[in-house]
Amino acid sequence: MTGTRILTFKAWRQKRYIGLAEVLTSLGPMLEGYRWQLIIDWLVSSQAEAITEATADSLVTTGRLIELFSVECQLIDGELVGHGDSQSAPEVKIRAFDSGHWDVQTDSSELLEKIVTLYPDAQELPEW
């Protein structure tokens, strides 16, 4: 991913956790058609085993991720790598860091602008 930028923003807002399903939903149509590879290091959910099995060794659509993570679920440490439908679609990486922050790495200025609009506390990170 050349020319990429990384934004980080808080996962906790007014004592409420912003989960993966909400992050993906808030970014909306820009991520439709993406397929995601997940690396889950630590997940807290009554459905953790089912989620881990459903996402192991396969690419998962954005819609399926939203469905899987819509249950009460907290991704504490993990990384998602999103691949668009076409070769020209930007690659997107989303990382849960210690359940306190979401980090998003992409070269899509449109996606970065959307994040800043939705999460005004977003700050740029120098490296992943």
Side-chain angles (χ1 to χ4, degrees), residues 5-127:
R5 291 177 46 210
I6 307 164
L7 291 179
T8 187
F9 56 93
K10 294 178 183 174
W12 288 91
R13 305 200 171 260
Q14 301 173 355
K15 299 183 181 183
R16 188 176 75 81
Y17 177 70
I18 306 298
L20 179 60
E22 189 171 343
V23 170
L24 292 173
T25 301
S26 69
L27 297 175
M30 286 183 267
L31 299 179
E32 284 180 12
Y34 273 70
R35 298 183 64 76
W36 300 86
Q37 174 187 13
L38 275 73
I39 302 161
I40 298 173
D41 294 326
W42 189 4
L43 174 67
V44 175
S45 171
S46 60
Q47 301 295 317
E49 188 174 326
I51 291 170
T52 302
E53 287 177 11
T55 60
D57 301 323
S58 64
L59 294 176
V60 182
T61 66
T62 301
R64 180 70 173 135
L65 274 181
I66 291 169
E67 180 183 310
L68 287 168
F69 282 85
S70 65
V71 297
E72 191 169 317
C73 181
Q74 184 175 351
L75 183 59
I76 295 175
D77 284 307
E79 182 176 307
L80 299 85
V81 179
H83 306 275
D85 271 345
S86 69
Q87 295 293 339
S88 62
E91 184 177 88
V92 177
K93 291 184 180 181
I94 300 175
R95 177 177 62 181
F97 179 69
D98 198 24
S99 83
H101 289 85
W102 288 107
D103 302 339
V104 179
Q105 180 181 23
T106 184
D107 60 0
S108 168
S109 58
E110 182 182 8
L111 185 57
L112 293 167
E113 288 173 23
K114 177 86 173 188
I115 290 167
V116 170
T117 300
L118 293 168
Y119 308 104
D121 66 312
Q123 297 180 352
E124 193 154 351
L125 290 176
E127 59 186 36

